[in-house]
Amino acid sequence: METAALNSFSTRLFSTGHRAIARQYFFLSLFAVLAGMALSLVMRFHLVFPQAGNDVLTPEYYLSLLTLHGTLMVFFVLTLAPLSAFANLVLPEQLGAEGMAFPRLNMISFWMTAIAFALLLASFFATGGGALSGWTAYPPLSAVGAIAGPGEGIGQTLWFFSIGVFCLASLLTAMNIIATVLDERAPDMALMEMPLTCWNWFVTAILTLLSFSVLLAALLLILLDRFAGTSFFVPGGLLVADEAIPHSGGSPLLWQHLFWFFGHPEVYIAILPGMGIVSEVISTFSRRPAFGYRSMVWSTIAIAFLGLLVWGHHMFISGLNPYSAIAFSLLTMAIGIPSAVKTFNWIATAWGGDLHLTTAMLFALGFVSIFVTGGLSGLFLGQPELDAYFHDTYFVVAHFHLIMGIAALFGIFSATFYWFPLMFGRMLDERLGKLHFYLTFIGAYATFGPMHFAGFAGNPRRYPDFTTFEFLGQVMPLQRWITGAAFCLASVQAIFLWNLFRSMRHGIVAPDNPWESSTREWNAAARY
């Protein structure tokens, strides 16, 4: 009997069923977001009370917290949940397919992601300190090893291996999604008849394939610099700790080009699935088809295409050729056109519709609000002259967290409330859900809105202590407000966690199609 129970547990753990894998991705992302949120609260507390625990929370340790927070959120939350979790959950049924194209590859990609997650956590506790070069890992210091100081030894090495394994897993997932869309959809479904969610997952998978492969190549090159004596990113004549580094001919800017060729598409890898989810949710709860279906599809393709061409706007202060900066600036502005098309189409879909303000719908509308607000600040950063001032300030922190972090999280929340019946066969509590939405919506603006004003004042980012700068004295009240708002925003998530785990066991049993949706996943024979 014990052997049978063990075999049953192993079967569930290493299931090739796409919905079982979706739940595994969902809970991995949930654990990652809770860890990332806890790290952010420690950093926020330290910023307003820098003397508390100063012997433990050193500047190096603060930077390790910052690096782990950013890496968890960007890779293991914003990349995993919108694409890997929810695409696995409903993509095959929405296409009329029996499952993903490569079920075993699907299972392998999840466990590779889990290994990458374990390596990342191990990097934080490594001898010599956790990686502290940020989620961008800029060389040359990240390329020369432990001689560069705390956190640049085994901690940084484990970080590189973690992201390398994550890249491989993401490439497998992307190929699986692309193959499923092209080869497994129902014979009666043309590409231009797919739900908008499927289109967005499909385009996101193509973006993933193109951008993560470049990041993987860059990681291999920087590991060669660290261990094989090559000089891809290490320039000649470099002195570190009064010691000459025996490399020559490398360029740290090469890493920036390779990294941001991945890094800017990564913004859309996080946000495009949310756009697809929001399109379906607004359509469902407006009781009308999405307005301008074809324009929504082509705007998705345009955003992805332009997203591959604008990486240089992250490098305006790196010595980039001014003529190149003009080109990247114009392309950055151009992304506003397809983004505006989507926004106006969402408004047109809801306008005059029979609105049902469920929690999923509220989070979808909140997504639109946050997306527009975060996008407006991007217009400033797309101008080289303005970016020269704003680049290393809290203005960028505000923009990045709103457009990529909070907007994507609102899409995740909307998808969770919408598809929870398919994941667990029960309903989430709508009253708790609406309370959670309103408090989260207010908390998000209260936390990240004031960061724009801190950026106007020249408040630098990545600094562990602002009290040593006289000119930042006037900003400290604002920083204390941001910290208080951040703690309130984090506390509100307890409502969601209670609702989630309680509803998994004690929620109302879900009917076959609780939202009266027209997409195929609600008609699947094997629902959960």
Side-chain angles (χ1 to χ4, degrees), residues 487-501:
F487 272 86
C488 291
L489 178 60
S491 301
V492 166
Q493 306 317 306
I495 299 173
F496 171 74
L497 293 174
W498 169 260
N499 195 2
L500 177 74
F501 289 108

mmCIF file with all atom_site columns, all heavy atoms in Angstrom, residues 487-501:
data_model
loop_
_atom_site.group_PDB
_atom_site.id
_atom_site.type_symbol
_atom_site.label_atom_id
_atom_site.label_alt_id
_atom_site.label_comp_id
_atom_site.label_asym_id
_atom_site.label_entity_id
_atom_site.label_seq_id
_atom_site.pdbx_PDB_ins_code
_atom_site.Cartn_x
_atom_site.Cartn_y
_atom_site.Cartn_z
_atom_site.occupancy
_atom_site.B_iso_or_equiv
_atom_site.pdbx_formal_charge
_atom_site.auth_seq_id
_atom_site.auth_comp_id
_atom_site.auth_asym_id
_atom_site.auth_atom_id
_atom_site.pdbx_PDB_model_num
ATOM 1   N N   . PHE A 1 487 ? 4.100   48.762 2.927  1.00 0.00 ? 487 PHE A N   1
ATOM 2   C CA  . PHE A 1 487 ? 3.717   47.803 3.962  1.00 0.00 ? 487 PHE A CA  1
ATOM 3   C C   . PHE A 1 487 ? 2.211   47.568 3.954  1.00 0.00 ? 487 PHE A C   1
ATOM 4   O O   . PHE A 1 487 ? 1.747   46.436 4.144  1.00 0.00 ? 487 PHE A O   1
ATOM 5   C CB  . PHE A 1 487 ? 4.185   48.297 5.340  1.00 0.00 ? 487 PHE A CB  1
ATOM 6   C CG  . PHE A 1 487 ? 5.575   47.861 5.694  1.00 0.00 ? 487 PHE A CG  1
ATOM 7   C CD1 . PHE A 1 487 ? 6.676   48.610 5.291  1.00 0.00 ? 487 PHE A CD1 1
ATOM 8   C CD2 . PHE A 1 487 ? 5.804   46.690 6.400  1.00 0.00 ? 487 PHE A CD2 1
ATOM 9   C CE1 . PHE A 1 487 ? 7.969   48.208 5.596  1.00 0.00 ? 487 PHE A CE1 1
ATOM 10  C CE2 . PHE A 1 487 ? 7.093   46.276 6.712  1.00 0.00 ? 487 PHE A CE2 1
ATOM 11  C CZ  . PHE A 1 487 ? 8.183   47.047 6.310  1.00 0.00 ? 487 PHE A CZ  1
ATOM 12  N N   . CYS A 1 488 ? 1.431   48.633 3.719  1.00 0.00 ? 488 CYS A N   1
ATOM 13  C CA  . CYS A 1 488 ? -0.029  48.456 3.619  1.00 0.00 ? 488 CYS A CA  1
ATOM 14  C C   . CYS A 1 488 ? -0.390  47.601 2.410  1.00 0.00 ? 488 CYS A C   1
ATOM 15  O O   . CYS A 1 488 ? -1.239  46.697 2.495  1.00 0.00 ? 488 CYS A O   1
ATOM 16  C CB  . CYS A 1 488 ? -0.712  49.819 3.531  1.00 0.00 ? 488 CYS A CB  1
ATOM 17  S SG  . CYS A 1 488 ? -0.639  50.798 5.042  1.00 0.00 ? 488 CYS A SG  1
ATOM 18  N N   . LEU A 1 489 ? 0.252   47.884 1.277  1.00 0.00 ? 489 LEU A N   1
ATOM 19  C CA  . LEU A 1 489 ? -0.010  47.110 0.055  1.00 0.00 ? 489 LEU A CA  1
ATOM 20  C C   . LEU A 1 489 ? 0.322   45.637 0.255  1.00 0.00 ? 489 LEU A C   1
ATOM 21  O O   . LEU A 1 489 ? -0.431  44.751 -0.169 1.00 0.00 ? 489 LEU A O   1
ATOM 22  C CB  . LEU A 1 489 ? 0.805   47.691 -1.097 1.00 0.00 ? 489 LEU A CB  1
ATOM 23  C CG  . LEU A 1 489 ? 0.717   46.986 -2.455 1.00 0.00 ? 489 LEU A CG  1
ATOM 24  C CD1 . LEU A 1 489 ? -0.712  46.980 -2.977 1.00 0.00 ? 489 LEU A CD1 1
ATOM 25  C CD2 . LEU A 1 489 ? 1.655   47.651 -3.464 1.00 0.00 ? 489 LEU A CD2 1
ATOM 26  N N   . ALA A 1 490 ? 1.446   45.362 0.913  1.00 0.00 ? 490 ALA A N   1
ATOM 27  C CA  . ALA A 1 490 ? 1.826   43.969 1.172  1.00 0.00 ? 490 ALA A CA  1
ATOM 28  C C   . ALA A 1 490 ? 0.848   43.301 2.138  1.00 0.00 ? 490 ALA A C   1
ATOM 29  O O   . ALA A 1 490 ? 0.482   42.130 1.957  1.00 0.00 ? 490 ALA A O   1
ATOM 30  C CB  . ALA A 1 490 ? 3.245   43.920 1.735  1.00 0.00 ? 490 ALA A CB  1
ATOM 31  N N   . SER A 1 491 ? 0.390   44.032 3.148  1.00 0.00 ? 491 SER A N   1
ATOM 32  C CA  . SER A 1 491 ? -0.541  43.458 4.133  1.00 0.00 ? 491 SER A CA  1
ATOM 33  C C   . SER A 1 491 ? -1.859  43.051 3.489  1.00 0.00 ? 491 SER A C   1
ATOM 34  O O   . SER A 1 491 ? -2.464  42.035 3.850  1.00 0.00 ? 491 SER A O   1
ATOM 35  C CB  . SER A 1 491 ? -0.805  44.469 5.256  1.00 0.00 ? 491 SER A CB  1
ATOM 36  O OG  . SER A 1 491 ? 0.382   44.836 5.900  1.00 0.00 ? 491 SER A OG  1
ATOM 37  N N   . VAL A 1 492 ? -2.285  43.843 2.508  1.00 0.00 ? 492 VAL A N   1
ATOM 38  C CA  . VAL A 1 492 ? -3.556  43.564 1.829  1.00 0.00 ? 492 VAL A CA  1
ATOM 39  C C   . VAL A 1 492 ? -3.527  42.203 1.132  1.00 0.00 ? 492 VAL A C   1
ATOM 40  O O   . VAL A 1 492 ? -4.571  41.543 0.985  1.00 0.00 ? 492 VAL A O   1
ATOM 41  C CB  . VAL A 1 492 ? -3.852  44.696 0.819  1.00 0.00 ? 492 VAL A CB  1
ATOM 42  C CG1 . VAL A 1 492 ? -4.954  44.307 -0.152 1.00 0.00 ? 492 VAL A CG1 1
ATOM 43  C CG2 . VAL A 1 492 ? -4.210  45.974 1.559  1.00 0.00 ? 492 VAL A CG2 1
ATOM 44  N N   . GLN A 1 493 ? -2.337  41.758 0.726  1.00 0.00 ? 493 GLN A N   1
ATOM 45  C CA  . GLN A 1 493 ? -2.259  40.487 0.006  1.00 0.00 ? 493 GLN A CA  1
ATOM 46  C C   . GLN A 1 493 ? -2.617  39.292 0.886  1.00 0.00 ? 493 GLN A C   1
ATOM 47  O O   . GLN A 1 493 ? -2.864  38.199 0.378  1.00 0.00 ? 493 GLN A O   1
ATOM 48  C CB  . GLN A 1 493 ? -0.865  40.318 -0.600 1.00 0.00 ? 493 GLN A CB  1
ATOM 49  C CG  . GLN A 1 493 ? -0.408  41.483 -1.470 1.00 0.00 ? 493 GLN A CG  1
ATOM 50  C CD  . GLN A 1 493 ? -1.493  42.003 -2.393 1.00 0.00 ? 493 GLN A CD  1
ATOM 51  O OE1 . GLN A 1 493 ? -2.099  41.250 -3.167 1.00 0.00 ? 493 GLN A OE1 1
ATOM 52  N NE2 . GLN A 1 493 ? -1.754  43.304 -2.326 1.00 0.00 ? 493 GLN A NE2 1
ATOM 53  N N   . ALA A 1 494 ? -2.655  39.506 2.204  1.00 0.00 ? 494 ALA A N   1
ATOM 54  C CA  . ALA A 1 494 ? -3.108  38.438 3.098  1.00 0.00 ? 494 ALA A CA  1
ATOM 55  C C   . ALA A 1 494 ? -4.563  38.079 2.803  1.00 0.00 ? 494 ALA A C   1
ATOM 56  O O   . ALA A 1 494 ? -4.977  36.921 2.976  1.00 0.00 ? 494 ALA A O   1
ATOM 57  C CB  . ALA A 1 494 ? -2.945  38.869 4.559  1.00 0.00 ? 494 ALA A CB  1
ATOM 58  N N   . ILE A 1 495 ? -5.353  39.067 2.373  1.00 0.00 ? 495 ILE A N   1
ATOM 59  C CA  . ILE A 1 495 ? -6.757  38.801 2.006  1.00 0.00 ? 495 ILE A CA  1
ATOM 60  C C   . ILE A 1 495 ? -6.798  37.829 0.839  1.00 0.00 ? 495 ILE A C   1
ATOM 61  O O   . ILE A 1 495 ? -7.591  36.863 0.844  1.00 0.00 ? 495 ILE A O   1
ATOM 62  C CB  . ILE A 1 495 ? -7.473  40.113 1.641  1.00 0.00 ? 495 ILE A CB  1
ATOM 63  C CG1 . ILE A 1 495 ? -7.471  41.076 2.827  1.00 0.00 ? 495 ILE A CG1 1
ATOM 64  C CG2 . ILE A 1 495 ? -8.903  39.827 1.165  1.00 0.00 ? 495 ILE A CG2 1
ATOM 65  C CD1 . ILE A 1 495 ? -8.008  42.457 2.490  1.00 0.00 ? 495 ILE A CD1 1
ATOM 66  N N   . PHE A 1 496 ? -5.957  38.070 -0.158 1.00 0.00 ? 496 PHE A N   1
ATOM 67  C CA  . PHE A 1 496 ? -5.921  37.174 -1.319 1.00 0.00 ? 496 PHE A CA  1
ATOM 68  C C   . PHE A 1 496 ? -5.471  35.780 -0.925 1.00 0.00 ? 496 PHE A C   1
ATOM 69  O O   . PHE A 1 496 ? -6.065  34.780 -1.367 1.00 0.00 ? 496 PHE A O   1
ATOM 70  C CB  . PHE A 1 496 ? -4.988  37.750 -2.388 1.00 0.00 ? 496 PHE A CB  1
ATOM 71  C CG  . PHE A 1 496 ? -4.721  36.801 -3.524 1.00 0.00 ? 496 PHE A CG  1
ATOM 72  C CD1 . PHE A 1 496 ? -5.690  36.552 -4.476 1.00 0.00 ? 496 PHE A CD1 1
ATOM 73  C CD2 . PHE A 1 496 ? -3.499  36.139 -3.630 1.00 0.00 ? 496 PHE A CD2 1
ATOM 74  C CE1 . PHE A 1 496 ? -5.449  35.665 -5.522 1.00 0.00 ? 496 PHE A CE1 1
ATOM 75  C CE2 . PHE A 1 496 ? -3.247  35.263 -4.663 1.00 0.00 ? 496 PHE A CE2 1
ATOM 76  C CZ  . PHE A 1 496 ? -4.227  35.022 -5.619 1.00 0.00 ? 496 PHE A CZ  1
ATOM 77  N N   . LEU A 1 497 ? -4.434  35.680 -0.107 1.00 0.00 ? 497 LEU A N   1
ATOM 78  C CA  . LEU A 1 497 ? -3.919  34.370 0.295  1.00 0.00 ? 497 LEU A CA  1
ATOM 79  C C   . LEU A 1 497 ? -4.978  33.593 1.075  1.00 0.00 ? 497 LEU A C   1
ATOM 80  O O   . LEU A 1 497 ? -5.162  32.390 0.868  1.00 0.00 ? 497 LEU A O   1
ATOM 81  C CB  . LEU A 1 497 ? -2.652  34.534 1.125  1.00 0.00 ? 497 LEU A CB  1
ATOM 82  C CG  . LEU A 1 497 ? -1.430  35.086 0.377  1.00 0.00 ? 497 LEU A CG  1
ATOM 83  C CD1 . LEU A 1 497 ? -0.288  35.346 1.345  1.00 0.00 ? 497 LEU A CD1 1
ATOM 84  C CD2 . LEU A 1 497 ? -0.985  34.127 -0.718 1.00 0.00 ? 497 LEU A CD2 1
ATOM 85  N N   . TRP A 1 498 ? -5.675  34.263 1.986  1.00 0.00 ? 498 TRP A N   1
ATOM 86  C CA  . TRP A 1 498 ? -6.741  33.601 2.736  1.00 0.00 ? 498 TRP A CA  1
ATOM 87  C C   . TRP A 1 498 ? -7.836  33.121 1.788  1.00 0.00 ? 498 TRP A C   1
ATOM 88  O O   . TRP A 1 498 ? -8.314  31.986 1.884  1.00 0.00 ? 498 TRP A O   1
ATOM 89  C CB  . TRP A 1 498 ? -7.319  34.567 3.779  1.00 0.00 ? 498 TRP A CB  1
ATOM 90  C CG  . TRP A 1 498 ? -8.589  34.076 4.425  1.00 0.00 ? 498 TRP A CG  1
ATOM 91  C CD1 . TRP A 1 498 ? -9.858  34.435 4.117  1.00 0.00 ? 498 TRP A CD1 1
ATOM 92  C CD2 . TRP A 1 498 ? -8.706  33.100 5.478  1.00 0.00 ? 498 TRP A CD2 1
ATOM 93  N NE1 . TRP A 1 498 ? -10.772 33.765 4.896  1.00 0.00 ? 498 TRP A NE1 1
ATOM 94  C CE2 . TRP A 1 498 ? -10.093 32.945 5.746  1.00 0.00 ? 498 TRP A CE2 1
ATOM 95  C CE3 . TRP A 1 498 ? -7.775  32.360 6.217  1.00 0.00 ? 498 TRP A CE3 1
ATOM 96  C CZ2 . TRP A 1 498 ? -10.561 32.076 6.729  1.00 0.00 ? 498 TRP A CZ2 1
ATOM 97  C CZ3 . TRP A 1 498 ? -8.252  31.503 7.187  1.00 0.00 ? 498 TRP A CZ3 1
ATOM 98  C CH2 . TRP A 1 498 ? -9.616  31.359 7.440  1.00 0.00 ? 498 TRP A CH2 1
ATOM 99  N N   . ASN A 1 499 ? -8.229  33.982 0.863  1.00 0.00 ? 499 ASN A N   1
ATOM 100 C CA  . ASN A 1 499 ? -9.261  33.633 -0.111 1.00 0.00 ? 499 ASN A CA  1
ATOM 101 C C   . ASN A 1 499 ? -8.818  32.455 -0.968 1.00 0.00 ? 499 ASN A C   1
ATOM 102 O O   . ASN A 1 499 ? -9.584  31.515 -1.226 1.00 0.00 ? 499 ASN A O   1
ATOM 103 C CB  . ASN A 1 499 ? -9.556  34.852 -0.984 1.00 0.00 ? 499 ASN A CB  1
ATOM 104 C CG  . ASN A 1 499 ? -10.843 34.722 -1.774 1.00 0.00 ? 499 ASN A CG  1
ATOM 105 O OD1 . ASN A 1 499 ? -11.566 33.736 -1.675 1.00 0.00 ? 499 ASN A OD1 1
ATOM 106 N ND2 . ASN A 1 499 ? -11.127 35.742 -2.558 1.00 0.00 ? 499 ASN A ND2 1
ATOM 107 N N   . LEU A 1 500 ? -7.558  32.471 -1.404 1.00 0.00 ? 500 LEU A N   1
ATOM 108 C CA  . LEU A 1 500 ? -7.042  31.431 -2.287 1.00 0.00 ? 500 LEU A CA  1
ATOM 109 C C   . LEU A 1 500 ? -7.040  30.067 -1.607 1.00 0.00 ? 500 LEU A C   1
ATOM 110 O O   . LEU A 1 500 ? -7.644  29.101 -2.111 1.00 0.00 ? 500 LEU A O   1
ATOM 111 C CB  . LEU A 1 500 ? -5.625  31.796 -2.732 1.00 0.00 ? 500 LEU A CB  1
ATOM 112 C CG  . LEU A 1 500 ? -4.899  30.784 -3.621 1.00 0.00 ? 500 LEU A CG  1
ATOM 113 C CD1 . LEU A 1 500 ? -5.473  30.813 -5.029 1.00 0.00 ? 500 LEU A CD1 1
ATOM 114 C CD2 . LEU A 1 500 ? -3.398  31.057 -3.659 1.00 0.00 ? 500 LEU A CD2 1
ATOM 115 N N   . PHE A 1 501 ? -6.373  29.973 -0.457 1.00 0.00 ? 501 PHE A N   1
ATOM 116 C CA  . PHE A 1 501 ? -6.201  28.667 0.174  1.00 0.00 ? 501 PHE A CA  1
ATOM 117 C C   . PHE A 1 501 ? -7.492  28.167 0.816  1.00 0.00 ? 501 PHE A C   1
ATOM 118 O O   . PHE A 1 501 ? -7.751  26.960 0.837  1.00 0.00 ? 501 PHE A O   1
ATOM 119 C CB  . PHE A 1 501 ? -5.060  28.726 1.186  1.00 0.00 ? 501 PHE A CB  1
ATOM 120 C CG  . PHE A 1 501 ? -3.709  28.846 0.550  1.00 0.00 ? 501 PHE A CG  1
ATOM 121 C CD1 . PHE A 1 501 ? -2.984  30.036 0.608  1.00 0.00 ? 501 PHE A CD1 1
ATOM 122 C CD2 . PHE A 1 501 ? -3.163  27.785 -0.157 1.00 0.00 ? 501 PHE A CD2 1
ATOM 123 C CE1 . PHE A 1 501 ? -1.750  30.149 0.001  1.00 0.00 ? 501 PHE A CE1 1
ATOM 124 C CE2 . PHE A 1 501 ? -1.923  27.890 -0.768 1.00 0.00 ? 501 PHE A CE2 1
ATOM 125 C CZ  . PHE A 1 501 ? -1.212  29.074 -0.689 1.00 0.00 ? 501 PHE A CZ  1
#
